[in-house]
Amino acid sequence: MDMSASKEELAKFGYLTRDEELNYLQEVSDICIRNTKKYSDSEEKVLNFLHPEELSTKIDISLRRESSNPDEMKSILEKVFKFSVHTMSPNFYQQLFYWGDCWGIGGQWVAEILNTSAYTYEMSPVFTIMEKEVIKEALKLWNFPSTGEGYICHGGAQSMLFALNVARNQYYPQVKTKGASSMPNVDIYTSEEGHYSLEKSASIIGIGSESIVPVETDDLGIMKMDALKAAISKTLANGRVPFYINATAGTTVTDAYDPINEIANLCEKHRIWLNIDGAFGGSLIFSNKHRHLLKGAHRANSVVWDFHKMLGAPLPCSVLLLRESGQLKAAQGISVGYLFAGKKHYDVDYDLGNLSIQCGRKIDNFKVWMAWKARGSNGFEAHVDKLYENAEYFLNKIKSRDDFRLVFPKAEPRLKICFWYLPPWLQKKTLNEEDKKYLNAVTHKIKEVYVYEGLLYLATQPLKKHPFFFRIVIIDPRKGPRELDRVISIFSDIGSKLKKEDFNV
Amino acid sequence: MDMSASKEELAKFGYLTRDEELNYLQEVSDICIRNTKKYSDSEEKVLNFLHPEELSTKIDISLRRESSNPDEMKSILEKVFKFSVHTMSPNFYQQLFYWGDCWGIGGQWVAEILNTSAYTYEMSPVFTIMEKEVIKEALKLWNFPSTGEGYICHGGAQSMLFALNVARNQYYPQVKTKGASSMPNVDIYTSEEGHYSLEKSASIIGIGSESIVPVETDDLGIMKMDALKAAISKTLANGRVPFYINATAGTTVTDAYDPINEIANLCEKHRIWLNIDGAFGGSLIFSNKHRHLLKGAHRANSVVWDFHKMLGAPLPCSVLLLRESGQLKAAQGISVGYLFAGKKHYDVDYDLGNLSIQCGRKIDNFKVWMAWKARGSNGFEAHVDKLYENAEYFLNKIKSRDDFRLVFPKAEPRLKICFWYLPPWLQKKTLNEEDKKYLNAVTHKIKEVYVYEGLLYLATQPLKKHPFFFRIVIIDPRKGPRELDRVISIFSDIGSKLKKEDFNV
């Protein structure tokens, strides 16, 4: 079964025989499974935190002229597990993603070992028809015309970039060949809590970050319609063109939903492109109970929606939807003789690579397809509904205690909840400026303790003029009251020991 | 060990218990290993080709409201293997990548199950220090200043985009905020055989594809210096600015190397940014014997170099190198309070995410690091040298036969070899226009036969005015005379049966 090269020759290249390779991979899978089991235990550290210099002494990261053998490589993999963040831990609440489902992970293992690329049907027949199926079902779910199109992007930032680029090409097609100096000065609106990838996208595509108009938000992080209208008027008064509104469905820090339907009215009136950044919140589309937060979404020109965030598919896999076909190829395709054009033995409309700006492409669509196939739309619906139950549970707990305080007391249950822990000397009082300095320091101190001890992974955030606060992300439906209560005890165990005199503010 | 949710609750979300999840993954790894073993056999089909509509009847790709169970999912994975391209087959010669090494694949399995992102040190401490090590060693190898910097990109096209964007930011920093209308009209030079991702990049970043000046190449696909000089003069005469030269090291079709050192002289003279597209050919940097094809590369401003092409790391993982630090952050970074800025418990210079335009990022760097660690620079050197031996072997074989003809008779051994198969009635003669029509048809016919029968995966190409030809990519050092001879027999078995009267040209 092995090819020409002898075992000795293979060793010169650092290769094993095929049988040895497969044995090694079998052992790697054992390492994966054993360690995942271990770190799924809530008593294990969510991270063994070390500073970079220290970490470098624990793993021999140096690259050399000499090769390493399978045993050395396996021992490195064990250490990689030990010193990485254990997203499979019940104590992981920090990011907008988590250790989600084995369907996607299994799919990725298969995609990795097949080592193919999703740019032509020829190279990835199975994955190509699956991607088309995902897009077809997603268009249905979002109530987009069936004549729409879509693409599975390598992450939400790529979807955001492509959406903006497609919009530009629809309004100013000459830019593709002539450059951005051939278009008028345009303004792009997004809430001041909107994701930074929009600013990066505007910079890179040559519109310039100053074209981004951050629109004021209310206390909960929702874009104010008055502010948006005023911003559009200002654009017009300045002789610029209102071009693109990015409505955020689930902001990064507070999980706020912009009023899409009202924004759509404005877009229609002024012929502005409407993009929905539903990277996080787009998944509510599955839930009858919570879909109302996306009201009006079917009127958008484009939607960005990540399966790797709220729904737990392995990251990254982002779905970009467009209400009309042909827009991706028009904006991003070119004629490439050796790849997409010329005579082929099949229908080249199945070659998806020319919809993108990438050539080689990881099989990210398979994760979405596998997760959706395995869990069904019903599974995703139950998932979303359970998350809101958990959020309500945690919110009520926090409200009922003197040692916790909500950053936004009027917040309804959302999947990110922002709060402070108040040590005894700050409880039951309105905080003055000095208190806020203490609170800031307390937040940093508590995080430092739980991170160094590996008890919990939960982010701290700045926002507007507030002292740094904690933000818990509630997206794993496997967790429930038991895990959420544990979070509260970890805080109170650490926090109740803090003394005012330990802080130098 | 499992969390709050009961088995019944989990089933509603489409989740398994943690133990069941790990059992499932164990079985997935068995499927991977068993199928890889099977399709590593040269007697197995390299692809079971089906047209899209037919393939859709073999796998139930429909997405529904209902969930599927583990057995159904495993049966799908078996079919995914059956109907995908078997890159592990000894008969796979089509793409610039192949089923390379188990080190990278094992690394990816670990990265997938850890499900983390490489944007902050906090989320990926181990992978962050490894990425820094890869960049450090790569800078050394390319003889770049140690004060340079780099980034592991998600594929060569992303590296190409970032290199162009960084160059623009160095020359015209105001574009980041003010947009591309604030810069002069610039020209970008690349050989007419250069990769299309440069054109896509120029379009997307708002410089416009018309700024791309395709420079004439010689018979072998090498950029002509006279033509380049003339192009620069024309730019100046037109009142435009010569901005960027992309020197290709290893063109896609003919594996040509542009004369980097001479190009660097021109770049110095005119203050033009020099980028090397070494996506394919950059790997020669490891070989004492073949590095001369990259002479002058250390003078470049940026280098694009893919580990997933010639060296066999799982795709995609591309190394972008820059000769000066701070350029990536200057071009692509912004201040993001909740993520990269603010007080943290470690040195935030380790947060690599802000060098990119992406937020979430796959752990691609681990594949590079694993492959390099396992195989050592010596392994890569032996690998490259062996490829050239194979290329020489194949080239000589082709030359010695009447039924094969080289597209470029004067070609030296390169890792892509372009040839025709000549049926009896076309052998030993100078081809006239009618003959060329036959040859075109013969090429398509032969490919159709070997693809449908799953005997071989080897691309056909158009180029300039030539009839379509075959291009073999010689990048797997495990293959040798035995496999290359087999390729030749497959051609002559199919081709010798062709009859002139079967073609209607």
Side-chain angles (χ1 to χ4, degrees), chain A residues 345-359:
Chain A
H345 54 289
Y346 61 91
D347 176 1
V348 292
D349 267 357
Y350 279 85
D351 288 351
L352 303 181
N354 211 10
L355 305 182
S356 172
I357 60 168
Q358 289 177 282
C359 183

Side-chain angles (χ1 to χ4, degrees), chain A residues 4 13 15 50 62 65 87 98-99 113-114 121-122 200 338 356 373 375 378 447 457 461, chain B residues 4 13 15 50 62 65 87 98-99 113-114 121-122 200 338 356 373 375 378 447 457 461 483:
Chain A
S4 274
F13 320 136
Y15 278 162
L50 294 175
S62 67
R65 290 215 66 85
T87 56
Y98 67 106
W99 202 96
I113 206 163
L114 281 169
Y121 180 77
E122 241 175 324
K200 289 204 175 189
Y338 72 89
S356 172
K373 184 73 177 175
R375 303 176 60 195
N378 288 337
K447 181 176 178 190
Y457 230 56
Q461 306 285 334
Chain B
S4 275
F13 319 137
Y15 277 162
L50 295 175
S62 67
R65 290 216 65 86
T87 57
Y98 66 106
W99 201 98
I113 206 163
L114 282 169
Y121 180 78
E122 242 175 323
K200 289 204 175 190
Y338 72 89
S356 172
K373 182 74 177 177
R375 303 177 59 195
N378 287 338
K447 181 176 177 190
Y457 230 55
Q461 306 285 334
E483 287 73 21

Side-chain angles (χ1 to χ4, degrees), chain A residues 221-288:
Chain A
I222 301 168
M223 195 194 268
K224 288 183 176 174
M225 286 304 291
D226 288 352
L228 176 58
K229 285 176 194 162
I232 294 173
S233 301
K234 197 173 161 193
T235 297
L236 294 168
N238 289 342
R240 297 172 66 91
V241 180
F243 162 53
Y244 192 97
I245 302 180
N246 179 60
T248 307
T251 56
T252 308
V253 177
T254 66
D255 199 17
Y257 289 75
D258 291 339
I260 298 173
N261 211 33
E262 294 173 53
I263 294 172
N265 292 338
L266 278 180
C267 286
E268 271 180 18
K269 183 174 163 194
H270 296 284
R271 198 180 159 262
I272 301 174
W273 184 280
L274 174 54
N275 176 62
I276 296 177
D277 175 3
F280 186 76
S283 298
L284 301 194
I285 202 75
F286 279 116
S287 164
N288 265 313

Side-chain angles (χ1 to χ4, degrees), chain A residues 380-428:
Chain A
F380 289 137
E381 176 162 24
H383 175 129
V384 170
D385 292 349
K386 177 69 190 311
L387 300 182
Y388 275 86
E389 281 171 35
N390 282 349
E392 192 163 9
Y393 177 86
F394 191 78
L395 192 72
N396 288 336
K397 275 273 162 154
I398 295 275
K399 275 184 182 165
S400 71
R401 296 178 62 115
D402 290 336
D403 52 350
F404 285 83
R405 187 171 292 178
L406 285 168
V407 179
F408 309 105
K410 290 183 186 163
E412 291 174 47
R414 290 286 178 266
L415 305 186
K416 298 154 194 165
I417 297 173
C418 301
F419 63 89
W420 290 289
Y421 177 83
L422 304 185
W425 74 93
L426 293 177
Q427 292 170 17
K428 294 190 192 177

